[in-house]
Amino acid sequence: MNHLFRHVQWILKGVKVFSLVGKSGTGKSFRAKLIADKYGIELLIDDGLLIKGKKIIAGKSAKKEPTYLGAIKTALFDDKSHRESVINKLKEIKFKRILIIGTSERMTHKIAARLDLPQISKIIQIEEIATEEEISTA
């Protein structure tokens, strides 16, 4: 019941969730700033981290995991203490818009659900904001 209550709280506060999706190494993190500026997004979820501006404010980096499976689990907030620390930080901060970065729509939906955030209202594919050349250069 606690999960549902937190989910409804975000909706009542007017929180909108955006998602940026693209394969690994396509420059999503690099382009996230442009999307944040365009849509007035205050917070990012990227590779297990909660980021505000250029500062990591909660979470742990999937990039520091020694195994591929460990990195995926971290990025998906599989660990309860990791997940709860980010949820608690989200509750402390006033924000209206958050961007979840992931390698698939399914992944970003899973992250939103695990962090008790509302359903994603806008999904942006990396191909919509970067040319093939830019993606391959990334």
Side-chain angles (χ1 to χ4, degrees):
M1 196 63 179
N2 193 17
H3 164 76
L4 180 61
F5 177 72
R6 286 191 297 215
H7 177 82
V8 170
Q9 274 186 315
W10 294 125
I11 294 170
L12 293 174
K13 288 181 181 178
V15 170
K16 286 188 87 171
V17 181
F18 295 76
S19 149
L20 174 59
V21 176
K23 292 181 181 136
S24 293
T26 54
K28 295 181 301 296
S29 298
F30 176 74
R31 300 233 174 258
K33 175 82 173 103
L34 299 171
I35 292 169
D37 290 345
K38 180 177 180 177
Y39 292 101
I41 296 168
E42 302 109 315
L43 301 174
L44 303 177
I45 298 282
D46 188 11
D47 277 335
L49 298 170
L50 176 61
I51 303 164
K52 183 175 185 176
K54 292 182 179 177
K55 187 176 179 213
I56 296 166
I57 57 173
K60 62 181 188 174
S61 175
K63 288 179 171 62
K64 291 186 177 164
E65 291 296 323
T67 66
Y68 179 70
L69 187 59
I72 290 170
K73 285 183 173 191
T74 299
L76 289 171
F77 298 90
D78 201 46
D79 177 73
K80 187 178 183 202
S81 65
H82 175 218
R83 180 173 58 247
E84 287 298 324
S85 73
V86 173
I87 289 170
N88 289 334
K89 192 58 144 175
L90 286 168
K91 285 194 274 186
E92 283 176 28
I93 301 168
K94 283 194 170 206
F95 70 97
K96 290 288 185 190
R97 293 170 179 227
I98 185 167
L99 175 67
I100 300 172
I101 301 170
T103 55
S104 69
E105 289 184 27
R106 184 170 170 240
M107 178 186 187
T108 59
H109 284 293
K110 188 176 263 190
I111 292 168
R114 287 209 171 142
L115 297 178
D116 297 330
L117 292 166
Q119 288 287 316
I120 295 168
S121 59
K122 180 161 182 66
I123 297 171
I124 302 157
Q125 301 289 334
I126 190 71
E127 295 83 5
E128 294 173 36
I129 58 166
T131 65
E132 277 186 47
E133 186 180 331
E134 290 168 327
I135 291 170
S136 64
T137 302

